[in-house]
Amino acid sequence: FCLLFASLQLTKKPVRSYEDLAESAMGRMGWYTYNIATFAQSYGACLGYIVVVGDILPSLLSEMGLPVERSMVLLIVTVFVIFPLAALRDFSALQYASASAVLIYLAFAGTLLALFIQGPESPPEPPPTLVKPDLAAISRAAPLSVFAFQCATSLFPIYQELRDPTVERITRVSAI
């Protein structure tokens, strides 16, 4: 955070995004570099989400008595979720998707809490290991971990909306 805010304070004009910061610091080449990197990151995040859906949803539907092939789930999610979200002209419409995502997270957390309170039916055999020495699994999980912080793009607008913007305040707001 400190490096970002130090660079923000060195700019001549108001900076509302990483794109503006890159252009202010490095000119047009910075703008192009930022946009290419953002495209690659967003593309990777989208693929990561699709992989997660393809790994989880078919098993979940099968448990519910609705067996479906992974490729069919991926096709449906891509056509009916990813494409419509990517085709929005006004991204403020995503506020509804964000609100529903918060509700889904709350339902997930509630379910985990209920399962924890209920306790295990019987101890798993063999007991699970904390770390699996599987390099392929780590290489599949790493991109998901890297792209988990997509929300950081709203950092500058939030910082500039603070009444008295300081590193301490934006750190506190980010933590909350």
Side-chain angles (χ1 to χ4, degrees), residues 36-117:
I36 290 167
T38 299
F39 173 79
Q41 180 186 23
S42 298
Y43 183 76
C46 186
L47 284 179
Y49 292 137
I50 290 174
V51 167
V52 168
V53 167
D55 288 346
I56 294 173
L57 208 52
S59 300
L60 181 65
L61 291 172
S62 182
E63 283 286 325
M64 296 168 56
L66 303 166
V68 65
E69 288 188 35
R70 184 175 196 263
S71 58
M72 183 56 68
V73 169
L74 293 177
L75 178 67
I76 290 170
V77 167
T78 302
V79 170
F80 293 106
V81 176
I82 301 294
F83 284 164
L85 289 175
L88 290 173
R89 287 187 179 194
D90 180 16
F91 282 99
S92 66
L94 287 177
Q95 67 188 356
Y96 304 112
S98 296
S100 61
V102 168
L103 293 175
I104 290 168
Y105 291 144
L106 288 174
F108 180 71
T111 303
L112 287 179
L113 182 62
L115 289 172
F116 175 76
I117 291 170

Side-chain angles (χ1 to χ4, degrees), residues 1-174:
F1 282 148
C2 294
L3 179 61
L4 288 172
F5 294 118
S7 58
L8 178 66
Q9 292 167 348
L10 293 174
T11 60
K12 305 281 189 252
K13 62 179 186 167
V15 174
R16 305 266 317 153
S17 66
Y18 288 108
E19 182 180 38
D20 291 345
L21 181 62
E23 185 173 19
S24 178
M26 297 178 280
R28 202 66 178 154
M29 191 52 130
W31 184 89
Y32 282 117
T33 303
Y34 170 80
N35 281 296
I36 290 167
T38 299
F39 173 79
Q41 180 186 23
S42 298
Y43 183 76
C46 186
L47 284 179
Y49 292 137
I50 290 174
V51 167
V52 168
V53 167
D55 288 346
I56 294 173
L57 208 52
S59 300
L60 181 65
L61 291 172
S62 182
E63 283 286 325
M64 296 168 56
L66 303 166
V68 65
E69 288 188 35
R70 184 175 196 263
S71 58
M72 183 56 68
V73 169
L74 293 177
L75 178 67
I76 290 170
V77 167
T78 302
V79 170
F80 293 106
V81 176
I82 301 294
F83 284 164
L85 289 175
L88 290 173
R89 287 187 179 194
D90 180 16
F91 282 99
S92 66
L94 287 177
Q95 67 188 356
Y96 304 112
S98 296
S100 61
V102 168
L103 293 175
I104 290 168
Y105 291 144
L106 288 174
F108 180 71
T111 303
L112 287 179
L113 182 62
L115 289 172
F116 175 76
I117 291 170
Q118 179 184 353
E121 294 176 14
S122 63
E125 292 293 330
T129 59
L130 182 60
V131 177
K132 293 182 181 179
D134 183 3
L135 189 58
I138 292 171
S139 68
R140 288 191 305 270
L144 299 176
S145 300
V146 169
F147 295 119
F149 300 99
Q150 289 283 338
C151 60
T153 57
S154 58
L155 186 67
F156 289 137
I158 292 171
Y159 176 76
Q160 292 179 346
E161 291 296 323
L162 292 174
R163 197 170 311 140
D164 183 25
T166 63
V167 173
E168 292 79 25
R169 281 193 175 180
I170 192 65
T171 303
R172 196 172 336 125
V173 167
S174 298

